[in-house]
Amino acid sequence: MKRTVVGAHYGMRDWLAQRLTALLMALYSVMLAVILMRGEPITYPVWKDLFAQGWMRVATLLFAVGLVWHAWVGTRDILMDYIKPDGLRLTLQVLALLLLGAYMGWAVQILWR
Amino acid sequence: MSSASAKKLRPKYLNLRALLFEIRLPLPGWVSILHRISGALLVFPFAAWLLYMLDRSLASEQGFQAVNSYLDLPLVKAGMLLFIWAYCHHLCAGLRFLLLDLNRGIELPAARRSSVAVLVVSLALTAFFGAKLW
């Protein structure tokens, strides 16, 4: 395809970000599943200590950033495909951004209480 | 004249009714649409629901116990089961798409096999993690 170079990135950045964040989240998921299923019963002290550790907080923060970014690309794709009226689509996209921003803030608040 | 009316109507636009009753969506197509549906469900409501439970369970010992007994409610368990399925399906289908991006398994027979694998493996994982939850 012949493309005029005008500085637009033609969605390549989003496409790549969606895939890299997917890999990041997959790794975190496997790690968490392994930690939770080592056989040790998950009591409150175990649970609290896990999320008190610096590396776990940072890993979970990276997961949250990845999730929000990934979810934004996916949500935008779905809205672009199915919601034809421009005003409604823009409204829903803004609402999705607000929701994802709120998730991010909530996650930070939970991790660094 | 009769040959024209006997011809199928083209183009065929897809909607929910067409998808469910008028055409036979091939398995890779089901994997794809379920990837979208599960993704949308994970964004809302599941992400909010899990953040709520993480928040409460880390806030205090009582909160942790409360979330534990909350997870014992049958309706909550059913919801968790749906969440687990959505997560596993989204993950498995996503890995398949990543391989397709790398031109792995793009021939029709391979693509059909991998779509069956995604559906089966994600259901098996759901059963496994569901059993752990119970």
Side-chain angles (χ1 to χ4, degrees):
Chain A
M1 207 187 305
K2 200 172 172 64
R3 284 168 172 167
T4 322
V5 180
V6 288
H9 49 75
Y10 295 107
M12 183 61 169
R13 187 180 60 188
D14 293 329
W15 182 89
L16 198 60
Q18 193 179 34
R19 276 141 186 86
L20 293 176
T21 52
L23 283 175
L24 176 75
M25 288 188 287
L27 286 176
Y28 180 91
S29 305
V30 171
M31 181 198 79
L32 191 65
V34 169
I35 290 175
L36 294 183
M37 297 199 302
R38 278 178 311 189
E40 195 182 4
I42 306 298
T43 57
Y44 179 65
V46 173
W47 187 238
K48 196 176 170 54
D49 285 351
L50 176 63
F51 281 95
Q53 298 183 64
W55 65 267
M56 184 60 184
R57 285 181 175 171
V58 171
T60 308
L61 182 72
L62 286 178
F63 176 85
V65 172
L67 179 101
V68 164
W69 196 351
H70 185 94
W72 165 243
V73 178
T75 307
R76 200 204 53 172
D77 283 352
I78 290 179
L79 293 175
M80 284 196 303
D81 279 355
Y82 303 125
I83 311 293
K84 297 305 172 193
D86 292 338
L88 180 62
R89 188 176 60 246
L90 184 64
T91 307
L92 290 174
Q93 284 178 339
V94 169
L95 288 176
L97 277 175
L98 288 175
L99 179 73
L100 293 171
Y103 284 170
M104 198 62 238
W106 196 2
V108 170
Q109 212 176 10
I110 293 171
L111 290 169
W112 281 275
R113 202 184 316 255
Chain B
M1 170 148 193
S2 60
S3 71
S5 59
K7 258 180 134 181
K8 287 182 181 172
L9 280 172
R10 291 289 189 268
K12 173 88 192 159
Y13 293 110
L14 292 181
N15 53 36
L16 195 61
R17 209 171 62 101
L19 192 68
L20 292 176
F21 305 113
E22 293 168 18
I23 66 158
R24 203 192 70 83
L25 189 66
L27 280 176
W30 279 109
V31 167
S32 177
I33 193 66
L34 288 174
H35 189 241
R36 284 207 151 174
I37 293 170
S38 58
L41 286 175
L42 289 170
V43 173
F44 194 83
F46 285 130
W49 196 37
L50 262 79
L51 271 169
Y52 164 75
M53 285 194 276
L54 184 66
D55 193 358
R56 281 208 75 183
S57 68
L58 283 173
S60 64
E61 173 96 49
Q62 293 94 308
F64 185 83
Q65 300 306 340
V67 171
N68 250 338
S69 37
Y70 178 64
L71 282 171
D72 277 338
L73 301 174
L75 200 65
V76 174
K77 280 199 164 151
M80 276 304 282
L81 211 56
L82 184 62
F83 160 73
I84 294 169
W85 171 80
Y87 203 97
C88 293
H89 180 85
H90 203 81
L91 182 67
C92 294
L95 288 174
R96 176 174 176 270
F97 289 138
L98 284 178
L99 290 174
L100 292 177
D101 283 344
L102 298 172
N103 289 336
R104 298 287 179 88
I106 48 173
E107 282 77 28
L108 188 55
R112 282 204 178 125
R113 275 199 305 276
S114 62
S115 61
V116 174
V118 165
L119 293 168
V120 171
V121 169
S122 53
L123 283 174
L125 284 174
T126 306
F128 175 75
F129 289 114
K132 288 263 171 197
L133 185 71
W134 256 257

